[in-house]
Amino acid sequence: MSIEWLGYAAAVLTSIAFVPQALKTIRSRDTSGISLGMYVIFTVGIGFWFAYGVALGSWPMILANITTFVLAGTILALKLRHG
């Protein structure tokens, strides 16, 4: 078994971890308990991790971070729109 599978397992688990929060926020539009500063910094950080994954050519890192970026970006957009 290749070490690459460890990266894929980590990518799946960390990306899936965001799904419940994203679904709850999308459905309720309630962002009152979410820190704007934290989500701005987090989303930018995920963007950098994605770029790093692209530079390394690491597909687990690329896939995990693009997925997490979309989910975190959605939550951030909702926070900006609904306060």
Side-chain angles (χ1 to χ4, degrees):
M1 186 156 106
S2 166
I3 193 73
E4 190 89 357
W5 286 105
L6 186 60
Y8 281 108
V12 167
L13 293 173
T14 57
S15 296
I16 287 175
F18 262 85
V19 172
Q21 183 66 57
L23 289 176
K24 181 179 178 183
T25 305
I26 291 165
R27 288 180 182 146
S28 71
R29 304 285 193 230
D30 179 16
T31 60
S32 61
I34 295 173
S35 166
L36 177 60
M38 179 272 185
Y39 261 87
V40 168
I41 293 167
F42 181 75
T43 305
V44 170
I46 291 298
F48 283 130
W49 274 115
F50 170 74
Y52 183 61
V54 169
L56 293 177
S58 172
W59 280 105
M61 193 178 293
I62 292 166
L63 295 173
N65 286 299
I66 196 68
T67 302
T68 305
F69 184 83
V70 168
L71 294 171
T74 300
I75 293 170
L76 179 58
L78 289 169
K79 178 65 176 176
L80 291 170
R81 175 177 275 175
H82 299 287

